[in-house]
Amino acid sequence: MARRRRVYEGKAKVLFEGPEPGTLIQYFKDDATAFNRQKHAVITGKGVLNNRISEYLMLKLGEIGIPTHFIRRLNMREQLIREVEIIPIEVVVRNYAAGSFSKRFRMEEGTLLPRSIVEYYYKSDELGDPMVTEEHITAFGWATYQEIDEILNMSLRINDFLCGLFTGVGLKLIDFKVEFGRLWDENDEMRIVLADELSPDNMRVWDSRTNQRYDKDLFRHDLGNLQEGYAEIARRLGILPEAGPRDLKGPETLQ
Ligand code: UDP
């Protein structure tokens, strides 16, 4: 197969040039990193599970009218996406205290918050993704007030939808991170769309009854087998690759 042009390589994904202008291929790696790359491991099967979970969640969100960059899954590890201009902000939505929030407010992990709380972080490995407010975002020109407004509304809709979806399968959505991008259509009209990925790498998901964790905290804090946790989320959502974990090598064409 001809080598494709690599457009970008991040911690967990690689972006290649797509088959048509305005498209990219998003490849999910098995690499897991935490604490700004201080901890690293290769976890067989993670990329395949994240590709499948992200596809499923993006399609479901598309069904309720959230525009996304997702076009279709190509194989076990790759999906075709629209090329967007990434807005350099990580939007974190929290329903329960955990992680950095628990530390900051000395609040026990798992404490239900009085309402969902949205935070913004500036995407910069060099600066360690500092938390920012609308003031920083608009003053530095990362996004306009109107764009932030749209991003906030979309993030809250995504949260409501995902909370319902997970509750239905006995899971609790503790928090998650999303990224958005600008997409221009033929008439040069710009739309904000959900971009990046939506996978257990970017969300905390616990069992509703036992509080068992199934997300990246398993890796961050050596709490258990990450691949099994992600597979459990996929299983509950009814989307575990049929051949099971043995079939997690990819890339192979499905369909
Ligand atoms: N998160 C992420 N990327 C980051 C930082 C956080 O996907 O660079 C996700 C993380 O998985 C969690 C949520 O955002 O679901 C909130 O993370 P938190 O601020 O508690 O940071 P952490 O404790 O993960 O460092």
Side-chain angles (χ1 to χ4, degrees):
M1 196 175 69
R3 286 304 297 161
R4 293 169 300 188
R5 196 167 70 83
R6 192 177 289 239
V7 179
Y8 170 83
E9 174 146 12
K11 286 173 265 196
K13 293 187 297 288
V14 187
L15 294 178
F16 295 100
E17 211 169 48
E20 292 144 37
T23 63
L24 294 172
I25 292 170
Q26 180 162 254
Y27 175 96
F28 287 78
K29 302 196 280 188
D30 278 341
D31 296 63
T33 63
F35 313 118
N36 209 355
R37 291 184 207 243
Q38 285 174 49
K39 184 168 177 171
H40 175 261
V42 173
I43 295 165
T44 310
K46 181 178 86 88
V48 173
L49 285 160
N50 280 355
N51 186 24
R52 187 72 185 93
I53 293 171
S54 195
E55 171 200 21
Y56 179 77
L57 296 178
M58 291 255 178
L59 285 175
K60 285 279 170 203
L61 288 166
E63 283 171 20
I64 63 153
I66 304 280
T68 79
H69 73 162
F70 182 84
I71 302 175
R72 66 173 187 278
R73 185 162 59 93
L74 297 171
N75 55 51
M76 300 280 278
R77 281 180 190 276
E78 296 176 331
Q79 46 184 247
L80 187 65
I81 57 170
R82 288 187 203 289
E83 185 169 21
V84 300
E85 181 186 281
I86 290 285
I87 295 169
I89 301 296
E90 300 194 340
V91 182
V92 170
V93 184
R94 302 178 186 273
N95 300 305
Y96 297 81
S100 67
F101 187 96
S102 283
K103 279 212 191 79
R104 206 181 324 141
F105 296 105
R106 297 212 187 111
M107 204 177 271
E108 198 186 334
E109 291 208 304
T111 308
L112 180 64
L113 299 175
R115 63 176 169 81
S116 304
I117 294 177
V118 180
E119 297 169 344
Y120 305 109
Y121 295 83
Y122 176 52
K123 265 168 76 77
S124 163
D125 282 347
E126 204 185 334
L127 301 176
D129 297 348
M131 182 149 73
V132 294
T133 69
E134 278 191 23
E135 280 292 287
H136 305 95
I137 298 172
T138 51
F140 290 124
W142 298 323
T144 64
Y145 278 113
Q146 204 190 339
E147 286 172 335
I148 301 175
D149 199 43
E150 209 173 325
I151 285 170
L152 174 63
N153 285 327
M154 268 161 83
S155 302
L156 290 173
R157 279 193 71 203
I158 292 168
N159 183 48
D160 283 348
F161 181 79
L162 292 182
C163 280
L165 186 75
F166 284 128
T167 303
V169 294
L171 295 171
K172 200 149 78 171
L173 180 61
I174 303 295
D175 58 28
F176 64 95
K177 183 268 293 181
V178 274
E179 294 180 26
F180 295 88
R182 301 185 184 93
L183 179 67
W184 280 268
D185 64 18
E186 317 79 59
N187 310 317
D188 271 352
E189 301 268 353
M190 193 272 288
R191 272 196 313 172
I192 304 273
V193 303
L194 177 63
D196 193 50
E197 69 178 301
L198 253 184
S199 76
D201 269 7
N202 311 110
M203 51 179 68
R204 288 192 170 94
V205 178
W206 296 5
D207 183 90
S208 305
R209 260 185 330 107
T210 66
N211 285 342
Q212 166 68 42
R213 295 161 195 242
Y214 297 122
D215 53 67
K216 207 167 120 182
D217 276 349
L218 293 172
F219 167 73
R220 284 193 194 95
H221 307 300
D222 299 312
L223 295 173
N225 184 314
L226 178 122
Q227 196 257 328
E228 279 171 18
Y230 287 22
E232 178 61 17
I233 296 177
R235 194 186 65 74
R236 300 257 189 127
L237 293 173
I239 55 167
L240 194 66
E242 301 87 58
R246 273 185 299 105
D247 191 25
L248 297 179
K249 276 188 238 85
E252 288 154 42
T253 306
L254 294 182
Q255 283 139 23

